[in-house]
Amino acid sequence: MRSVQDLEAIINEGLRTALMEETPDRSLKVLLEHLGKALNGERTYIFEQNGSGGDDNTYEWVADGVEPEQENLQNVPPEVCASWYRNFSIGRHIVIESVEDIRESEPLQYENLKRQGIHSLVVVPLYDGERIIGFYGVDDPPVKSLEYASNMLQTAAYFIVSSLKRRDLFRALQKRSYLEGRQSLEGILEGARTGIWTIELEDGCPPRMYADRTMRILLGVPDGIGPEECYRHWSERIEPDYVEMVRETVEEMLKTGRAEVIYPWDHPELGKIYVRCGGVPDKTFAKPGACLNGYHQDITETMVTRKKQEQSIMELLERVRRANSAKSEFLSHMSHDLRTPINGILGMLAILEKSQDDPERQRDCRRKIRVSAEHLLSLVNDVLQVSNLESGKPAAAAEPFDLRTVLEDCVTILSPLAEERDVLLELETSGLRHSRAIGDPLRLKQVLMGVIDNALKYNRPHGSVSVRAEEAAFRDGTVRCRFTIEDTGIGIGEDFKDHIFEPFTQEHQGARTDYNGAGLGMSIVKRLVDQMEGTIEVDSRVGKGSVVRIVLPIRADPAGEARFEEKERGDIAGMQVLLAEDNEINCEIVEFMLRDAGAEVVTAKDGKAAVDAFEASASGTFDCILMDLMMPVMSGYEAARVIRGLDRADARSVPIIALSANAFEADIALAKDAGMDAHLAKPVDIHRMFQVMSRLRA
């Protein structure tokens, strides 16, 4: 990544080159060319809003071999860029890594960009104060430099707005005669905080400065001030370190015909301000010496904003540096964390093969293989869960469940870990008055197990973990449940408390060896709690233990008692099942489990074979279809749609259950859209699969 100094150097060079041009129009064109080449883009451009609400492409630069589009992009309808302006209104810019990403969400903009052959772009808004006047951007920079392009464009945006204002001023001057436009021009210049001056450097005389009304306001001098005193007032208040720079700029004006300088100036009332001055020689001056005509603009607000932006860039670079460091550390740790259980599985398999005459050793090996495999699966699930939560979408599930049952399940699942570590695990639910609820029990279980699992892992032998659930409040059918998990573990240092919810972080590097894990558990818990509109607090002392308090809003279920009268059992004996699975090992496992439970099974190696088997069967033959999603010839999605579309009595009613390693919410939604009744993630929980099959059984 380029440094902030490089970014500033590139921008400054572009601004310096642009300022050398005679007119604002030329300055803008030169700057667009500089930015386009610096960013390796195909096209840079400026769009301004017109009086009818549309957008006009007013300036454009294109690389060699690229077709210009400026003539084709006049009065672009407001609806084309409507979504961009909504982002601009809240201070956001636009980064599109691939135009195909907006094909569905922004069809009008997609067609507009696709027609121009654009693949990616960065667009930055142009603000006149708080008013959005348009935008400018670059097409098709290298994807890896999109963030860099965004920073560069935002840094130059203030110069572009200033140049557009200057252009408007110059155009206003051209349209009016000097006498008619003088009063109006002064009003415009005052609004732009730009004064006009004339400096006479007559040989043998003190320098004289003649200032217009706005210039006198900017200098903080009275209207009746004399030209010599006005010059002294201006020159003596230039910050000492910049006096030589201003003098050299005056010499450059006289030598080259034009120059500009930015310097700090001591205002008599406002204190230190920043000024941009530029001028040209007055060739009509008839006296010995020289005369200059120019402008004086207060750009303090722009400079302050620029400094803030530079600070933001520095902070962004630091965040990127920390993120890259965290990712590198994460990859290093994950390499170790993944290889450790894999090594254990392979080692136990080798011992298993050599222990044919030792049943006890074989049982021990199988147990350790299962533990290693489950740990490996938990690591993979954590990484995938973090990726899934990046979207920030709230959990959409709203199903009836029992709070006490969820808590008891968490304790039951984690009891073996507690026993293994010699830690007492206790549950207290007497404070729950409304046990029946409607919501997402899976998300709740993930939150609780994540915290309890940490409390067990980072505990000490003969320690304890207490889990307490109670109602903090009940209003309008919603219970605010407080879950308190208290442990006697190693505790958390004060310095680490601020980082406990960051992904891939652990306080002690040895923790990965002593306690396992990828450093993702608490970051996942925090994201889930935020999605459920709850709060989480952590109190801890090193060597004394930790207390985690989670408060979640949970909707009470008034019909809860009726819902829980009978527990689902999952009896599938006698069912006729069509199993579509292309992986031979997975097929063999599921087929064995089904037959062992008393079901009859017909297998198909791809989606097309599953469709053919269903079509060849008599109506009502199959009680259930288990469908893998990713298969050759025809996917599970497509096969489900074909089956649902067949003209036979059972095509619409036969239960179709997806079995897939694609377990994100988007995959579940796609399965539902394809006509499937349920989605089970691999590795398949056989007991859960039997329950779902039994529930869907006609």
Side-chain angles (χ1 to χ4, degrees), residues 8 11-12 15 155 158 262 300-313:
E8 184 175 4
I11 292 293
N12 287 340
L15 297 179
T155 302
Y158 298 100
I262 295 175
T300 305
E301 183 178 346
T302 300
M303 293 298 291
V304 170
T305 303
R306 179 181 175 184
K307 289 182 179 296
K308 289 181 179 178
Q309 192 172 48
E310 289 174 351
Q311 180 64 29
S312 297
I313 292 173

Side-chain angles (χ1 to χ4, degrees), residues 581-639:
E581 172 63 73
D582 65 311
N583 185 284
E584 292 185 7
I585 295 177
N586 289 344
C587 184
E588 181 180 351
I589 293 170
V590 176
E591 183 180 5
F592 174 84
M593 294 298 181
L594 290 171
R595 294 189 185 280
D596 186 61
E600 296 295 328
V601 186
V602 174
T603 62
K605 294 188 178 299
D606 56 62
K608 179 65 168 58
V611 172
D612 292 343
F614 185 81
E615 282 187 300
S617 68
S619 180
T621 298
F622 293 111
D623 299 302
C624 180
I625 300 176
L626 300 177
M627 185 77 73
D628 186 22
L629 296 181
M630 306 302 290
M631 294 185 291
V633 185
M634 181 185 291
S635 71
Y637 299 113
E638 188 177 355

Side-chain angles (χ1 to χ4, degrees), residues 381 384 388 399 442-443 624-630 636-637 640 644 655-685 688-693 695-696:
N381 283 340
L384 295 179
N388 188 31
E399 59 183 84
L442 175 59
R443 292 286 189 268
C624 180
I625 300 176
L626 300 177
M627 185 77 73
D628 186 22
L629 296 181
M630 306 302 290
Y637 299 113
R644 291 300 188 210
I656 303 178
I657 301 171
L659 303 180
S660 176
N662 298 340
F664 289 148
E665 290 181 8
D667 303 309
I668 298 172
L670 287 173
K672 184 177 180 181
D673 290 343
M676 300 187 189
D677 300 283
H679 180 288
L680 298 176
K682 294 179 180 177
V684 178
D685 182 333
R688 174 64 176 156
M689 183 179 74
F690 289 171
Q691 285 183 331
V692 173
M693 290 172 63
R695 176 167 54 85
L696 295 174

